[in-house]
């Protein structure tokens, strides 16, 4: 656009980005609205990277503006030595320092997310095309209840997930509570998280796994502790035998198809 300065370009970019980020931070499926310790750490990492990106962009725009300003005033260009020093400092040293800091912080985030506390509740999650099979395990990792596409957890208690797949690679992602973890056939991956607020949060398979991939979502219900215990007991009981003809026909249709 004619007459647009570098300062104007940076103002437009930043002005458009922040409303979008603010809009994305709302809702029950957003990495910018963390509701647990793992999600908190991931969100903090994002804001640190964003701040670093804004500072670097501002520095680049400042250097560009300075060059344009010097040229318009007819000042002498930088010497070869000055240009070389600027390239080494801004194009080599600064990226190395920034990227090294990001690698260290990323490794620390991964370390925290990989080790579940010893008192964590264990839940087995099996990915299928295209649904989630969820088993609640006791201390001996025996199945005591099963649900589908709906994960219930007690508030304030860490949860360890055993992630498996039966057909293709899937990816478990509940951005309000944890990061992503792949489910790979023949392998068990682990992930832990904790919900610090009662509520309903949405998750999604984040790995393309077939034609119905977009519909492979799930809900996480974070419940008060006693409410969760009552729910788990109720779900673990045998299914009630239907006594009415309409219910019997419905059961037969479901089991046969």
């Amino acid at each position: 656009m004619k007459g647009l300065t570098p300062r104007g370009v940076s103002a437009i970019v930043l002005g458009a980005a922040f409303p979008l980020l603010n809009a994305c931070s709302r809702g029950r499926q957003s990495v910018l609205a963390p509701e647990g310790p793992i999600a908190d750490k991931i969100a903090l990492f994002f804001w640190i990277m964003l701040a670093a990106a804004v500072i670097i962009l501002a520095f680049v725009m400042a250097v560009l503006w300075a060059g344009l300003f010097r040229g318009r005033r007819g000042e002498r260009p930088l010497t070869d030595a000055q240009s070389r020093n600027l390239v080494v400092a801004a194009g080599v040293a600064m990226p190395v320092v920034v990227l090294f800091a990001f690698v260290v912080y990323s490794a620390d985030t991964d370390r925290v997310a990989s080790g579940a506390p010893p008192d964590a509740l264990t839940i087995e999650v099996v990915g299928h095309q295209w649904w989630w099979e969820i088993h609640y395990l006791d201390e001996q990792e025996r199945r005591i209840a099963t649900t589908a596409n709906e994960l219930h957890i007690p508030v304030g208690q860490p949860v360890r997930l055993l992630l498996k797949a039966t057909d293709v690679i899937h990816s478990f992602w509940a951005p309000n509570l944890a990061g992503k973890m792949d489910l790979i056939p023949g392998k068990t991956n682990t992930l832990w998280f904790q919900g610090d607020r009662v509520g309903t949060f949405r998750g999604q398979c984040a790995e393309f796994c077939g034609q119905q991939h977009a519909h492979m979502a799930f809900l996480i219900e974070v419940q008060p502790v006693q409410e969760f215990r009552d729910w788990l007991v109720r779900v673990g009981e045998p299914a009630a035998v239907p006594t009415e003809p309409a219910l019997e026909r419905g059961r037969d249709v479901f089991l046969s198809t």
Side-chain angles (χ1 to χ4, degrees), residues 56-251:
I56 293 172
L57 176 62
F59 172 76
V60 172
M61 292 296 101
V63 172
L64 179 59
W65 177 260
L68 293 175
F69 186 73
R70 287 171 58 89
R72 288 180 179 180
R73 293 187 57 180
E75 298 183 14
R76 291 194 308 170
L78 298 178
T79 64
D80 291 343
Q82 290 173 327
S83 297
R84 183 176 60 252
N85 293 339
L86 179 62
V87 170
V88 171
V92 179
M94 186 170 67
V96 167
V97 172
V98 172
L99 292 177
F100 180 77
F102 283 165
V103 168
V104 172
Y105 193 93
S106 177
D108 181 67
T109 302
D110 184 67
R111 177 188 60 81
V112 173
S114 61
D119 60 337
L121 172 69
T122 301
I123 300 176
E124 181 183 62
V125 178
V126 183
H128 299 272
Q129 290 178 308
W130 290 269
W131 62 286
W132 303 91
E133 181 181 0
I134 300 169
H135 303 288
Y136 296 82
L137 310 181
D138 60 15
E139 294 180 354
Q140 286 73 42
E141 296 195 356
R142 295 174 300 194
R143 295 178 181 178
I144 57 178
T146 299
T147 62
N149 300 329
E150 189 174 301
L151 182 63
H152 289 244
I153 64 172
V155 67
Q157 180 176 342
V159 177
R160 180 171 67 106
L161 300 184
L162 306 179
L163 302 172
K164 305 177 182 180
T166 60
D167 34 47
V168 299
I169 297 177
H170 302 280
S171 185
F172 183 96
W173 187 38
N176 295 88
L177 300 172
K180 299 177 185 177
M181 180 62 70
D182 284 350
L183 292 74
I184 301 174
K187 182 179 180 180
T188 300
N189 286 336
T190 60
L191 174 71
W192 84 272
F193 62 88
Q194 176 178 308
D196 290 338
R197 178 175 68 83
V198 172
T200 302
F201 305 99
R202 189 178 186 275
Q204 178 70 42
C205 176
E207 183 82 23
F208 181 74
C209 55
Q211 292 180 342
Q212 297 298 319
H213 160 72
H215 296 152
M216 193 171 171
F218 58 91
L219 294 178
I220 297 181
E221 295 280 353
V222 182
Q223 301 173 294
V225 176
Q226 189 57 50
E227 181 179 316
F228 167 77
R229 291 173 179 171
D230 295 340
W231 173 88
L232 188 59
V233 171
R234 186 170 65 253
V235 173
E237 295 174 349
V241 178
T243 56
E244 300 177 13
L247 297 179
E248 292 177 349
R249 287 196 302 272
R251 176 199 59 188

Side-chain angles (χ1 to χ4, degrees), residues 1-23:
M1 288 178 286
K2 186 176 180 180
L4 188 62
T5 65
R7 180 181 297 176
V9 173
S10 61
I12 292 174
V13 171
L14 294 177
F18 281 106
L20 290 174
L21 290 174
N22 183 59

Side-chain angles (χ1 to χ4, degrees), residues 38-61:
I38 301 300
D40 280 338
K41 196 166 182 63
I42 294 173
L44 177 60
F45 191 16
F46 167 81
W47 290 115
I48 290 175
M49 289 193 297
L50 179 62
V54 170
I55 293 172
I56 293 172
L57 176 62
F59 172 76
V60 172
M61 292 296 101

Side-chain angles (χ1 to χ4, degrees), residues 23-36:
C24 293
S25 68
R26 303 178 186 275
R28 56 178 184 166
Q29 186 177 336
S30 172
V31 71
L32 301 182
E35 298 292 349

